[in-house]
Amino acid sequence: MVEKELAELDKSDTEKRRENKTNYRRLLQIDQIISSGRFPSTAALAEKLEASTTTVKRDIEMLRDELNAPVEYCKKNEGWYYTETAFRLPALFTSEGELFAAELTKNMVQALHDTSVYENAKTVLDAVSNPVSNPLREPDKPDFGWADDRILFLENTKLTIEKGLWDTIACAMKTNCEITFDYKKPEDAVYHMRRVRPFQLLFSLQEWSLWCWDCDRREKRIFLLTRMKNAEMTGSHFALPEDWDYRKISNGFFGAYAEEDQYAFRIRCIGGTAQFVRERTLGKNQKVEEQEDGGVILSFTGCQFYPVLRFVLSHGAEATPLAPQDLVDEWEENVNEMATAAENMRNKTACQKE
């Protein structure tokens, strides 16, 4: 008798989950139609979904009251619409693999820490992995606790962004509004006010930066968010120029840095650095030419002159620049300065021993 009752309960749970999935898929369809901006009526939705008007009315109530959708009825257009046009009902994950990816993404969003986006992103990911809030999820959540200490997303440094800065920049980009802020470069003793037209927020090498037009210097510039404070919108609006997109100027392989000039780089690499470049794409039109001694000659085009110089210097004797000549000259100057510094250190140490 007990086994029969348990079987009936299992069957009831299965049917309930199937019904929840069917209902939620219908809600997704309603969400898609309303978000199109065509002001669908209840009758039109019912006909499209092959459901009764009573069912559609109940679904819209669920959208509004339980899923917090900003849905309202427009008397003028005689149909439903979203008061917040950006709202979309999430098509939540159903498979264990997708759920596992969502769990890992929680660690990845640490790059958004100290921004208003962070808490929103974390809330969404928590909802996805919560069987109570996700009607498409099975009630038994898989245990992914083992991954907490086995799959790590390492941070180079912990950077702090001034509270409210992210929101001000995001709002300015959304409305194409100029902003002012105080900025302090490493060599500066005090902050200086800047007025810019914000184009894009860039995340590269564990750092957030702003790609923009500097109104005072009349050129495109990059500013680190960690060096900015007191950002304010000016109320002066602008139109995006044709060349505003950072991706059309630089691929950013060496971080957030861009010049107007393009360079044809050629770098000879040996040892571990040769294997390093074999495994990566570091620029446009990249070629890796194998050499008889086991080394390679890396060639690519890009506009990140000084980051490429730092890349060459960071690999020591295993990387030698061949072109352009400006890169070779800068590299030789740095190598000579390091050699001089090393010689001075040796002489100082010898004198101390005497």
Side-chain angles (χ1 to χ4, degrees):
M1 183 67 178
V2 174
E3 292 180 355
K4 183 178 179 181
E5 290 179 352
L6 290 175
E8 289 178 351
L9 287 174
D10 289 340
K11 181 179 179 181
S12 176
D13 288 342
T14 301
E15 291 176 349
K16 185 65 175 178
R17 289 196 296 271
R18 186 182 298 115
E19 181 183 355
N20 286 342
K21 291 181 179 181
T22 300
N23 292 341
Y24 195 75
R25 290 191 178 96
R26 190 173 60 250
L27 288 173
L28 288 174
Q29 288 180 284
I30 294 175
D31 168 75
Q32 183 179 15
I33 297 171
I34 293 177
S35 65
S36 68
R38 295 194 294 265
F39 296 93
S41 66
T42 303
L45 286 170
E47 181 179 357
K48 180 71 175 178
L49 301 175
E50 298 181 354
S52 67
T53 55
T54 301
T55 297
V56 171
K57 288 179 181 178
R58 184 173 61 247
D59 288 340
I60 291 177
E61 289 177 358
M62 178 176 287
L63 276 172
R64 182 185 60 230
D65 301 334
E66 297 185 31
L67 299 176
N68 299 316
V71 59
E72 290 188 9
Y73 186 81
C74 177
K75 294 182 179 180
K76 179 180 178 181
N77 294 286
E78 298 182 342
W80 298 97
Y81 74 106
Y82 284 148
T83 58
E84 297 178 17
T85 56
F87 178 84
R88 293 295 182 277
L89 195 64
L92 301 174
F93 304 92
T94 58
S95 72
E96 183 172 330
E98 289 173 329
L99 182 60
F100 182 48
E103 290 286 334
L104 293 183
T105 304
K106 289 182 183 180
N107 294 328
M108 294 177 66
V109 299
Q110 287 296 326
L112 295 169
H113 199 69
D114 290 329
T115 74
S116 60
V117 179
Y118 174 74
E119 290 301 328
N120 291 335
K122 190 172 181 298
T123 298
V124 170
L125 292 169
D126 285 340
V128 165
S129 60
N130 186 346
V132 175
S133 61
N134 184 343
L136 298 187
R137 279 285 323 286
E138 298 297 331
D140 297 326
K141 177 183 176 180
D143 181 16
F144 296 130
W146 64 268
D148 291 343
D149 296 319
R150 307 296 292 275
I151 301 177
L152 307 179
F153 297 89
L154 302 180
E155 293 184 89
N156 291 341
T157 53
K158 188 65 176 178
L159 301 174
T160 302
I161 299 172
E162 184 183 64
K163 185 176 179 61
L165 177 62
W166 179 281
D167 289 339
T168 300
I169 295 175
C171 185
M173 289 192 299
K174 180 179 179 181
T175 58
N176 287 338
C177 181
E178 293 181 1
I179 61 172
T180 60
F181 55 85
D182 295 326
Y183 194 76
K184 183 180 179 181
K185 295 189 291 187
E187 62 270 23
D188 291 338
V190 296
Y191 283 85
H192 298 281
M193 179 177 286
R194 301 294 181 92
R195 184 186 182 100
V196 306
R197 296 176 177 178
F199 293 159
Q200 290 167 306
L201 281 167
L202 312 175
F203 182 74
S204 179
L205 304 181
Q206 302 295 323
E207 180 73 274
W208 281 104
S209 56
L210 176 65
W211 172 244
C212 60
W213 174 261
D214 190 318
C215 298
D216 297 323
R217 289 161 178 76
R218 308 299 299 171
E219 62 181 0
K220 291 187 284 293
R221 300 288 292 270
I222 293 176
F223 296 96
L224 298 178
L225 265 61
T226 51
R227 298 175 183 170
M228 299 167 59
K229 68 176 185 177
N230 302 329
E232 294 182 357
M233 296 174 61
T234 66
S236 178
H237 296 272
F238 63 93
L240 286 173
E242 292 184 359
D243 59 349
W244 67 275
D245 193 342
Y246 178 83
R247 293 168 297 184
K248 294 183 178 179
I249 300 172
S250 173
N251 49 38
F253 289 136
F254 294 92
Y257 183 94
E259 299 179 33
E260 294 294 337
D261 297 331
Q262 291 285 331
Y263 300 90
F265 295 106
R266 281 176 60 81
I267 305 168
R268 176 172 173 75
C269 303
I270 61 175
T273 302
Q275 186 58 33
F276 178 89
V277 301
R278 289 189 185 103
E279 298 167 348
R280 290 166 173 80
T281 298
L282 299 173
K284 297 177 182 178
N285 309 315
Q286 176 171 307
K287 292 182 181 179
V288 178
E289 305 171 42
E290 296 289 341
Q291 305 297 296
E292 292 183 359
D293 62 358
V296 300
I297 293 180
L298 168 68
S299 61
F300 60 92
T301 58
C303 62
Q304 298 177 293
F305 182 89
Y306 285 103
V308 171
L309 173 62
R310 288 195 294 270
F311 165 79
V312 174
L313 291 169
S314 69
H315 286 272
E318 291 189 347
T320 304
L322 305 177
Q325 189 59 45
D326 288 347
L327 180 66
V328 176
D329 294 341
E330 288 265 11
W331 172 78
E332 288 181 347
E333 182 178 343
N334 277 270
V335 170
N336 290 334
E337 289 178 356
M338 286 187 288
T340 300
E343 181 63 25
N344 292 337
M345 180 62 69
R346 282 194 295 268
N347 293 336
K348 183 177 180 180
T349 302
C351 290
Q352 291 174 344
K353 290 181 178 179
E354 294 176 356

